[in-house]
């Protein structure tokens, strides 16, 4: 059959909200876009463990340690669901890991910011996971079946992440003056990077947007960002804290919050690898991979030996 | 051809992000892929939940437990190496499944019965 017909049939399926499954015909660009997006998403989950793992041993109580440990373990699981979804498109796990380590593949820039205080664990859960959830809830309806299914699973688990984060800040916001100041400081530092997570403004896009046409994405960056600002601007009131934006105010006409301009220079600097922690994060990943090598090799050797024993018996 | 120009969270094109050159991964050291099936409670069937890599079946079950049952999602796990699963071809979908569409008499709603009839 001609490629043209296949593409028409493919687009018809998408338009009728029929999911695309691994063995269905799909345009090369659709496959590549999905591989890139899903693997970057997976890398973000894996690298995302680092800023928080940093605080497991320093969390203020056994309860908080257990919660943080569970959250970081979830992130590892999310990485796995996503890597597995990308593998259904023909990309090998090893190639994805190699791409991350060589600096070819990207992960969410947010994880290149440092976690300086305990309040950062709260701000990450509330703002960073909150922003990620907006994106992920949309992606539960993405057109590629395995990606959508992974997202459903992830969203179920992610809501605990955001709630525990808000609760960390809520406790701090009712504490001593020093604790309140720590809470406000964390919000101040994470607010703008969280807004940057939604990516460049829609107006930066000039060409036709295949990602939307293919329903890989269903909402634009600016739509999701506005939704996020509207949500957080209300929630912050419950903390008796403020967001670090003098231009933030409710607009009666649009029924949305207006907000100030994002520092796009900073955004691109961090994306391009010049953020505060880019080098440290990749170095930590590579070190963990190298130090785990003997474990992987031992498990492989053990499995081979067991197989031989079974054969002999 | 550059089709995707809009950059979303988690989807920054490599060339726009100062990415390094691709390095091919070392092949053949990857653990095999396993498909995981979970019984959520006694009386229900095992259902496919996802896949993972493991050196052998025991490790696959241990990993499946850690990844797929952290919130009491299951009480029993099956794993099977993915290469042992044979899938019907999507190209054969028409000949395999379409014949069922014109056999509507296989459904109970096909039969028009008086409303007075009970227990049927």
């Amino acid at each position: 059959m001609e490629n043209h017909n296949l593409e028409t049939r493919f687009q018809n399926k998408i338009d009728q909200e029929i999911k695309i499954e691994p063995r269905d015909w799909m345009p090369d660009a659709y496959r590549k876009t999905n591989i890139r997006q899903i693997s970057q998403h997976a890398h973000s989950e894996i690298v995302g463990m680092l800023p928080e793992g940093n605080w497991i041993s320093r969390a203020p109580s056994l309860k908080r340690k257990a919660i943080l440990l569970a959250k970081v373990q979830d992130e590892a699981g999310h990485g796995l669901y996503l890597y597995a979804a990308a593998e259904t498109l023909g990309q090998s796990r090893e190639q994805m890991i190699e791409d991350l380590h060589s600096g070819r593949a990207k992960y969410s820039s947010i994880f290149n910011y440092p976690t300086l205080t305990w309040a950062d664990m709260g701000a990450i859960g509330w703002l960073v996971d909150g922003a990620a959830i907006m994106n992920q809830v949309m992606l539960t309806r993405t057109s590629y079946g395995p990606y959508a299914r992974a997202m459903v699973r992830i969203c179920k688990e992610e809501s605990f992440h955001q709630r525990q984060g808000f609760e960390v800040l809520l406790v701090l916001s009712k504490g001593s003056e020093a604790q309140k100041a720590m809470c406000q400081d964390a919000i101040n530092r994470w607010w703008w990077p969280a807004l940057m997570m939604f990516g460049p403004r829609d107006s930066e896009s000039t060409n036709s947007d295949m990602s939307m046409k293919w329903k890989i994405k269903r909402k634009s960056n600016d739509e999701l960002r506005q939704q996020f600002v509207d949500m957080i601007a209300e929630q912050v009131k419950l903390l008796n804290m403020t967001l670090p934006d003098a231009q933030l105010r409710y607009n009666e006409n649009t029924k949305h919050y207006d907000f100030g301009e994002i520092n796009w220079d900073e955004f691109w600097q961090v994306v391009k690898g010049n953020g505060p922690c880019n080098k440290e994060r990749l170095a930590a990943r590579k070190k963990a991979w190298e130090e785990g090598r003997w474990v992987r090799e031992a498990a492989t050797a053990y499995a081979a030996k067991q197989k031989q024993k079974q054969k002999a018996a | 051809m550059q089709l995707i120009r809009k950059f979303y969270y988690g989807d920054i094109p490599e060339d726009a992000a100062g990415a390094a050159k691709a390095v091919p991964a070392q092949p053949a050291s990857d653990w095999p892929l396993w498909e995981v099936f979970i019984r959520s409670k006694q009386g229900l069937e095992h259902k496919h939940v996802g896949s993972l890599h493991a050196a052998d079946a025991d490790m696959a079950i241990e990993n499946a437990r850690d990844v797929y049952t952290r919130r009491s999602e299951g009480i029993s796990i099956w794993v099977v190496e993915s290469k042992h699963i044979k899938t019907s071809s999507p190209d054969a979908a028409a000949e395999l499944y379409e014949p069922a569409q014109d056999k509507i008499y296989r459904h109970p709603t096909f039969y028009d019965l008086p409303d007075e009839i009970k227990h049927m």
Side-chain angles (χ1 to χ4, degrees):
Chain A
M1 202 183 299
E2 281 175 45
N3 237 29
H4 177 71
N5 275 343
L6 288 168
E7 267 191 66
T8 310
R9 278 213 319 206
F10 172 83
Q11 190 60 48
N12 283 344
K13 264 200 214 165
I14 301 254
D15 294 343
Q16 292 170 53
E17 300 291 332
I18 298 172
K19 298 282 183 220
I20 306 303
E21 294 295 342
R23 300 194 53 194
D24 295 346
W25 186 90
M26 61 187 86
D28 257 3
Y30 178 84
R31 184 184 299 275
K32 280 189 188 137
T33 303
N34 263 302
I35 288 177
R36 184 177 67 211
Q37 187 175 322
I38 300 170
S39 63
Q40 285 186 10
H41 200 155
H43 298 325
S44 301
E45 299 284 352
I46 297 301
V47 177
M49 291 194 281
L50 297 170
E52 292 180 297
N54 183 30
W55 275 92
I56 291 172
S57 62
R58 294 183 287 162
S61 66
L62 184 59
K63 178 182 111 177
R64 293 294 178 190
K65 284 185 174 68
I67 292 172
L68 196 53
L69 199 57
K71 180 175 190 290
V72 171
Q73 194 188 11
D74 275 354
E75 312 291 4
H78 297 175
L80 177 114
Y81 306 151
L82 288 162
Y83 280 131
E87 281 175 87
T88 63
L89 289 161
Q91 179 77 315
S92 82
R93 177 81 60 95
E94 286 190 319
Q95 187 61 58
M96 287 186 270
I97 290 171
E98 179 60 48
D99 286 347
L100 173 65
H101 292 177
S102 72
R104 174 162 180 76
K106 295 289 155 185
Y107 53 87
S108 179
S109 295
I110 194 80
F111 302 116
N112 290 322
Y113 289 88
T115 44
L116 303 178
T117 69
W118 167 248
D120 287 16
M121 293 305 99
I124 285 183
W126 177 42
L127 297 175
V128 175
D129 290 325
I133 290 170
M134 308 237 74
N135 193 49
Q136 288 169 338
V137 165
M138 169 192 74
L139 286 171
T140 60
R141 293 168 58 234
T142 192
S143 59
Y144 187 55
Y147 193 19
R149 291 193 284 276
M151 278 299 129
V152 169
R153 198 176 290 280
I154 288 173
C155 283
K156 270 187 202 161
E157 300 182 353
E158 200 80 46
S159 114
F160 131 63
H161 297 181
Q162 196 189 12
R163 290 174 70 97
Q164 68 84 36
F166 192 81
E167 196 220 9
V168 164
L169 295 183
L170 194 61
V171 170
L172 288 173
S173 74
K174 292 174 179 165
S176 66
E177 284 310 309
Q179 285 170 325
K180 285 180 191 167
M182 193 203 278
C183 180
Q184 183 63 60
D185 168 64
I187 294 171
N188 291 349
R189 279 183 293 106
W190 288 96
W191 172 246
W192 291 106
L195 285 192
M196 292 178 199
M197 285 174 71
F198 296 98
R201 270 188 307 220
D202 296 347
S203 54
E204 306 254 315
S205 167
T206 48
N207 292 5
S208 69
D209 187 358
M210 295 305 282
S211 238
M212 285 291 222
K213 188 178 169 215
W214 284 334
K215 296 186 183 169
I216 296 174
K217 291 274 182 175
R218 288 167 174 269
K219 284 182 180 174
S220 77
N221 295 357
D222 285 341
E223 269 177 273
L224 283 172
R225 186 160 27 230
Q226 184 66 58
Q227 215 179 323
F228 179 71
V229 171
D230 290 346
M231 185 180 85
I232 300 295
E234 289 298 320
Q235 291 175 354
V236 73
K237 294 176 186 169
L238 293 167
L239 295 172
N240 283 319
M241 298 281 149
T242 57
L243 297 174
D245 181 356
Q247 285 165 268
L248 184 81
R249 66 177 55 84
Y250 188 71
N251 183 330
E252 276 296 341
N253 295 325
T254 60
K255 305 285 176 209
H256 290 292
Y257 275 87
D258 293 336
F259 55 98
E261 191 58 53
I262 288 168
N263 181 346
W264 294 111
D265 279 348
E266 178 183 327
F267 173 82
W268 284 111
Q269 283 298 323
V270 181
V271 166
K272 287 183 175 162
N274 304 318
C277 299
N278 289 53
K279 291 195 173 64
E280 190 186 326
R281 299 289 183 237
L282 264 193
R285 272 309 310 152
K286 282 194 256 191
K287 181 165 174 274
W289 182 250
E290 281 311 315
E291 288 180 356
R293 184 180 296 280
W294 72 270
V295 181
R296 296 193 295 277
E297 285 172 0
T300 307
Y302 178 79
K305 205 169 153 187
Q306 290 303 107
K307 216 177 230 173
Q308 241 172 10
K309 261 192 195 166
Q310 273 177 1
K311 256 188 210 157
Chain B
M1 184 169 52
Q2 179 72 13
L3 285 173
I4 314 298
R5 283 281 299 144
K6 196 178 270 184
F7 315 135
Y8 295 95
Y9 159 61
D11 189 26
I12 302 287
E14 281 80 6
D15 55 354
K21 280 249 166 353
V23 181
Q26 303 295 317
S29 58
D30 232 359
W31 291 337
L33 191 65
W34 301 77
E35 299 303 321
V36 181
F37 300 80
I38 302 232
R39 184 202 292 285
S40 57
K41 65 177 195 183
Q42 209 73 11
L44 293 182
E45 68 275 55
H46 286 77
K47 204 174 155 196
H48 185 245
V49 294
S51 46
L52 48 78
H53 287 275
D56 59 23
D58 289 333
M59 187 185 194
I61 286 192
E62 280 169 24
N63 289 354
R65 173 203 163 268
D66 286 345
V67 177
Y68 292 109
T69 67
R70 285 200 307 283
R71 289 178 175 79
S72 316
E73 291 96 336
I75 53 153
S76 168
I77 300 173
W78 287 350
V79 293
V80 60
E81 231 186 292
S82 310
K83 67 177 183 194
H84 296 312
I85 292 184
K86 172 80 181 161
T87 313
S88 64
S89 163
D91 300 335
E95 57 195 88
L96 288 177
Y97 313 115
E98 270 172 24
Q101 280 170 14
D102 59 9
K103 296 182 176 58
I104 48 173
Y105 46 84
R106 284 174 171 164
H107 296 280
T109 45
F110 176 76
Y111 302 93
D112 203 6
L113 300 184
D115 292 342
E116 297 80 50
I117 195 161
K118 301 291 178 205
H119 310 296
M120 192 182 281

